[in-house]
Amino acid sequence: MVTNLCNSDTISSDFTSAMAAIHPDRVAAVPGSFNNRALIRIPVESDRVNLIVSAGGAGAPFPDSMVTCQAMADASVVGGKYAAPSAYDIYEAAKYIGSDKGYLLIYNNFMGDCLNNDMAAELMGIEGMKSSLIPYNDDCLSVDPKAPREERTGLLGQHFGIRIAALMAREGADLETLTDVIGRVRARTASLNVSFDTEKKLVELGRGISGEPARFVSDEDFSLEHAARWAYDYLVEDLAPKDDETLCVLVNRPFMANYEDLYIFSHALLKHATGRIPVRRMTPGHFGRHYYYYGFGVSMLSCPKDLVGYLKEQYATTSYIF
Amino acid sequence: MNTMTTAQLQAALLHTCDVIIDAEGMLTNLDTIIGDGDHGIGMKTGFSALQTLLQGRQFEDAYTLMKESGMMLLKVMGGTSGVIFGTLFIGGLSALKDKDPVTVQDFAEYIDLGTQAIARRGKVSRGDKTMYDALSSARDAMLESAQAGDDVSAFFLAGADGARVGAEATKPMQSRMGRSKNFRDRTVGHPDSGAVSTSLIFKAFADYFA
């Protein structure tokens, strides 16, 4: 169980204030903001498309990535405890940035996030601000595996899309191009949670971040290696990579999992891929979310050939800044 | 009497705030069983801010009262509830424009338009196991009551009964919307927390106007 020692009623605004105070050369809070739950990357570059990423109360790692990485989101809006950010906070962030090139609104495909981003886009539209909505639906086990992809919710796959969109936006890509490209990236991304029931010695696939039951459970081999093999095989089957695509994998270490297990699990996945479809880019790190069980989030991008160059440099949100 | 003043509506809303804030624990428990447990916290956050807005303030008319109330919920709550309950307050505002005092017919139309706005925005329908089950049931009862010429007290009582019946009806349903749908058959046997909070809102109005 993860414990927050801070005030749970004000955690998001306190966090925003803290980030802005500690990294005043990298991020800023929106002056006069109603809720103070949005961080803006500075210097603001309003002459290009800006990326606004929003996530629930567990979305704190997105601001972290803005501080630790040169090209990720331009604004990060977090919700209150367990809740999607309010439409008004997203709108306020866009208004502060003031881009006339438009905004890419990236979020996970949960109902609250969808409703608030929809409404934020409406509020922005009233004032003439252009936006595109990119709900990420990469969690291939969030719904019945036979259900249409549109019904899936999101996990961590949006990191790939954010990275590519951020770099392309800096090259001057317009909103329509970015919407199209990130739509393609999203369609080639799949994620799942791998978890371990340490009492019953079970490996699980597809447990939800709010405790939703796992989709698949295995008692045959309680090991990191078995879990890594299973995750790889499932994701490859789901994505069916094409010959000219490149596999990129991100492994998230939630708070409960230790670094040693993260690297051993990631290495096991790489070894298993050898002789199959190889993983060209492996990024283990702490990308966020409170999980209430021991395990990892695994996201795989079967990257289209024309976009691989954008993923050459790696980043991880480990908050080591010296 | 089949009319209500802005001051009465404001007082009814303040009473509603007390009820929702007090229900935080119960709503959180319900949402923890079949959701992510944020509903009680979100509702308390929203209605606490609404309480602060309403206390010691006079509104020029019902339209302004409901508009500012809805915007406050939208701003502070976030989550599904922020948009949905914000829309409940804002979606039917055209029915209150230049209406002072407000008749039960005006208010029934206000609720009807708000209900329709929620269905459109949330893409929900009856049987999805959401707050819409309680709201649409309340709306139907209030439209019927208004048409029958009931007074304010009977009108809000009808709405409260309708909402309660609608919320109860969510118990045997399996969730088809939001995060709770991932809990699959575990959702059967428990009412939807949004439907319960909706019924509390209508009951609070009924109690105030009793």
Side-chain angles (χ1 to χ4, degrees), chain B residues 21-41:
Chain B
I21 292 165
D22 285 349
E24 181 205 353
M26 183 266 286
L27 294 172
T28 295
N29 288 341
L30 271 179
D31 197 39
T32 302
I33 298 168
I34 61 169
D36 52 10
D38 68 340
H39 186 65
I41 297 166

Side-chain angles (χ1 to χ4, degrees), chain B residues 191-204:
Chain B
D192 174 71
S193 54
V196 172
S197 46
T198 301
S199 72
L200 290 177
I201 291 171
F202 282 95
K203 183 173 186 312

Side-chain angles (χ1 to χ4, degrees), chain A residues 21-313:
Chain A
I22 289 168
H23 299 295
D25 53 336
R26 294 167 189 250
V27 288
V30 177
S33 166
F34 189 81
N35 290 316
N36 191 32
R37 289 177 182 168
L39 273 172
I40 312 295
R41 181 187 170 279
I42 54 171
V44 171
E45 295 173 8
S46 55
D47 57 345
R48 59 167 174 80
V49 176
N50 274 242
L51 277 65
I52 301 180
V53 177
S54 56
F62 289 111
D64 190 41
S65 75
M66 288 163 63
V67 169
T68 55
C69 183
Q70 286 301 311
M72 286 297 282
D74 297 298
S76 175
V77 186
V78 297
K81 191 180 179 189
Y82 300 132
S86 87
Y88 197 78
D89 292 337
I90 300 166
Y91 157 79
E92 266 191 346
K95 197 167 176 180
Y96 177 72
I97 291 168
S99 167
D100 58 358
K101 298 289 192 298
Y103 301 87
L104 210 56
L105 305 183
I106 301 178
Y107 49 97
N108 274 337
N109 188 36
F110 292 107
M111 195 171 182
D113 297 280
C114 292
L115 288 169
N116 281 284
N117 277 277
D118 276 354
M119 186 160 254
E122 270 184 43
L123 294 171
M124 289 158 67
I126 290 168
E127 298 196 11
M129 293 184 267
K130 291 190 293 182
S131 62
S132 273
L133 301 166
I134 309 281
Y136 251 81
N137 49 13
D138 54 301
D139 188 347
C140 60
L141 291 177
S142 58
V143 291
D144 187 307
K146 291 174 193 147
R149 185 183 175 96
E150 296 71 41
E151 292 183 13
R152 295 176 179 179
T153 57
L155 203 54
L156 295 154
Q158 60 178 293
H159 283 79
F160 292 119
I162 294 168
R163 180 67 164 162
I164 292 170
L167 290 167
M168 289 185 72
R170 282 158 178 76
E171 291 175 354
D174 62 24
L175 187 60
E176 290 69 28
T177 303
L178 285 172
T179 305
D180 174 63
V181 168
I182 303 312
R184 280 201 291 137
V185 171
R186 179 183 58 178
R188 302 303 297 139
T189 306
S191 305
L192 50 74
N193 281 325
V194 179
S195 52
F196 301 88
D197 185 330
T198 51
E199 283 183 15
K200 295 176 183 166
K201 304 293 180 199
L202 301 173
V203 179
E204 305 163 325
L205 287 192
R207 187 183 273 268
I209 58 168
S210 302
E212 297 92 329
R215 293 275 166 193
F216 302 108
V217 177
S218 166
D219 61 359
E220 61 184 68
D221 179 6
F222 186 70
S223 70
L224 290 166
E225 289 75 15
H226 168 55
R229 289 193 298 269
W230 200 12
Y232 172 92
D233 289 345
Y234 197 92
L235 290 170
V236 165
E237 187 182 337
D238 187 76
L239 283 171
K242 297 165 190 161
D243 290 343
D244 63 348
E245 292 182 331
T246 300
L247 280 195
C248 306
V249 172
L250 174 153
V251 181
N252 179 45
R253 179 190 72 85
F255 297 122
M256 284 176 70
N258 64 46
Y259 273 107
E260 292 84 349
D261 282 349
L262 167 71
Y263 276 90
I264 293 165
F265 175 88
S266 301
H267 188 208
L269 195 150
L270 280 179
K271 284 192 288 186
H272 181 62
T274 307
R276 292 177 174 80
I277 302 173
V279 173
R280 301 289 184 199
R281 179 186 190 273
M282 167 62 80
T283 312
H286 173 53
F287 297 92
R289 291 187 183 276
H290 296 248
Y291 291 165
Y292 297 101
Y293 45 84
Y294 201 95
F296 305 100
V298 185
S299 292
M300 182 180 280
L301 165 66
S302 192
C303 190
K305 194 178 174 183
D306 58 319
L307 300 173
V308 171
Y310 290 107
L311 294 172
K312 276 186 180 158
E313 286 182 31

Side-chain angles (χ1 to χ4, degrees), chain A residues 34-35, chain B residues 9-21 42-57 59 62 64-77 82 85-86 88-90 110 201 204-205:
Chain A
F34 189 81
N35 290 316
Chain B
L9 284 170
Q10 183 173 347
L13 275 177
L14 271 167
H15 177 57
T16 304
C17 292
D18 289 338
V19 168
I20 294 294
I21 292 165
M43 292 297 281
K44 183 189 172 190
T45 302
F47 282 79
S48 297
L50 181 55
Q51 189 177 52
T52 304
L53 173 77
L54 297 174
Q55 277 167 346
R57 166 98 189 265
F59 293 84
T64 309
L65 168 70
M66 293 307 194
K67 183 184 174 194
E68 291 199 23
S69 298
M71 282 306 293
M72 178 58 76
L73 296 179
L74 194 66
K75 280 181 180 178
V76 302
M77 283 174 74
F85 284 93
L88 172 61
F89 278 73
I90 294 167
Y110 168 69
I201 291 171
F205 265 74

